[in-house]
Amino acid sequence: MSDFRLLPDLARRDVGGAVVSANDEAFATRENLINPGPAVFDPSTFGPKGKVYDGWETRRRREPGHDEAIVRLGAPGVVRGIVVDTAWFTGNYPPEASVDGLAGETWVPLVPRSPLKGDTENVFDVGSGERITHVRLRIFPDGGVARLRVHGHAVPDPTLLDALGTVDLAAIENGGHVTACSNLFYSSPQNLLLPGPARSMGEGWETARRRDEGNDWVELALAAPAVVRVAELDTSWFLHNAPGSASLRGRLTDDEEWRELLPRTPLEPDTRHRFVLPATTGPVRAVRMDVFPDGGMARLRLHGTFASNS
C-alpha cells in the first residue's frame, strides 16, 4: 500500500496499546492520544482545568525544556509511518515534535525534530526497519496533541506463537495485515483483524453499494506461511447490509494461482460463522476473501498452524 495510513495502527488502545507515562498532563489526559477514531470537539465544554480537549495537553512552560509521553505499542513491529494529529488544537499546539522508538533496550530516532501545524494530521514517513515496542513523543516546548498514530507491520515474538500452537494467523497482533481491497468507502478493512468482538457496525469493514455486476474483496497477508483449519466470518451488527455470500482463496507465493479454501457459501446477517476447512488445502501466506456482491463484515479470523508445525 502506497499510503502508510492504510496499514494497521500498532498503538491504538483497542489493539492493546497504552500510554505508560507522560511528564505532564495538566489540561488533558495522556490516554486520549491512542483512542480509536478521530478526536471530537464541543466548544461549550469547560471543566475545572479549562477547555475540555479530546487529546493530550500540557501546561504552558515557564522554563527551558520539552514535554513527552511514552506509548507501549499494542502490537510491536516495524513502523512505516507516524501521524501526529493536532486536531482542534489551534492556538495551543506544539510548534515542533520528534518521535523515537524503543528497539530492544535502545531508543532509535523515527521522526527527527520537525515542525507541526495546528489542527492538522502531521504525516511522517519512517525508514527504520527495526522491531519497535514503545514510542516516545516529544513536543517542543509544550501544548496539545489529539492523537498519535503509529502505522506499520506487527512482528510478534516467534517463541510465543510457537508455544500457542493454533493461532489466529490473520490477527494484527500476530503480524497479519490487509494488503489490498476493492472498496473502503465506509471503513477500513484493517478493522477485520482487530482484537476482540466488534462493539458496533462502525468497528467493521463496510463497502459502498455496488451498482454493477462485480463483487467486493479483500486480500491479506498472514503472519507466516501456515495451514488454515478454521475460518470465522463474523457479520455481527450488520443486520440489513451483510454480504449474501462469501468465499476464501489462498496462495503461498505472489506468482501462484489462487486456490480454493472455502467455496462460495451463503452468510446470515448479524452472525458469527465458523467453517472447518479441509486439511488438504496446504500452506498459504496470503488469503483473499470475496463477498457477494457487497456489504459489511465485523471480523475475519483464520485459525491454523504454521507450516513448519503442521
Side-chain angles (χ1 to χ4, degrees), residues 94-229:
E96 296 178 306
S98 68
V99 181
D100 302 312
L102 188 62
E105 298 182 355
T106 304
W107 288 102
V108 297
L110 301 179
V111 177
R113 184 168 173 169
S114 304
L116 299 181
K117 295 181 179 179
D119 196 21
T120 299
E121 285 191 351
N122 297 274
V123 178
F124 303 97
D125 286 298
V126 174
S128 173
E130 298 184 74
R131 181 178 186 266
I132 301 300
T133 60
H134 298 67
V135 294
R136 179 175 61 195
L137 170 66
R138 287 178 165 171
I139 56 175
F140 303 90
D142 54 40
V145 175
R147 297 288 188 267
L148 176 66
R149 303 303 189 198
V150 184
H151 295 276
H153 300 290
V155 180
D157 182 347
T159 58
L160 175 63
L161 293 184
D162 185 61
L164 287 171
T166 300
V167 297
D168 181 1
L169 306 159
I172 286 175
E173 59 188 345
N174 291 336
H177 59 278
V178 171
T179 56
C181 75
S182 60
N183 186 280
L184 38 66
F185 186 85
Y186 287 109
S187 48
S188 170
Q190 302 289 358
N191 290 348
L192 290 168
L193 314 182
L194 289 173
R199 296 168 296 179
S200 71
M201 190 170 63
E203 293 188 359
W205 169 53
E206 184 180 4
T207 70
R209 301 191 187 204
R210 292 193 75 94
R211 304 305 187 191
D212 56 26
E213 298 302 315
N215 70 280
D216 287 317
W217 51 268
V218 61
E219 294 177 4
L220 58 138
L222 303 184
V227 176
V228 183
R229 295 307 316 276

Side-chain angles (χ1 to χ4, degrees), residues 61-115:
R61 279 190 163 269
R62 303 307 186 200
E63 68 285 331
H66 63 269
D67 293 323
E68 67 179 42
I70 296 177
V71 176
R72 184 190 69 236
L73 301 184
V78 176
V79 179
R80 297 302 185 196
I82 287 175
V83 178
V84 181
D85 185 358
T86 56
W88 307 110
F89 289 98
T90 54
N92 51 350
Y93 66 93
E96 296 178 306
S98 68
V99 181
D100 302 312
L102 188 62
E105 298 182 355
T106 304
W107 288 102
V108 297
L110 301 179
V111 177
R113 184 168 173 169
S114 304

Side-chain angles (χ1 to χ4, degrees), residues 248-252 256-259 261 284 286-288:
L248 294 173
R249 290 179 287 170
R251 63 186 181 188
L252 190 58
E256 179 186 348
E257 292 293 325
W258 292 102
R259 43 194 162 88
L261 302 178
V284 297
V287 171
R288 174 182 170 118

Side-chain angles (χ1 to χ4, degrees), residues 276-297:
V276 177
L277 308 184
T280 56
T281 56
V284 297
R285 181 62 192 266
V287 171
R288 174 182 170 118
M289 178 177 68
D290 284 86
V291 297
F292 303 92
D294 54 34
M297 189 167 295

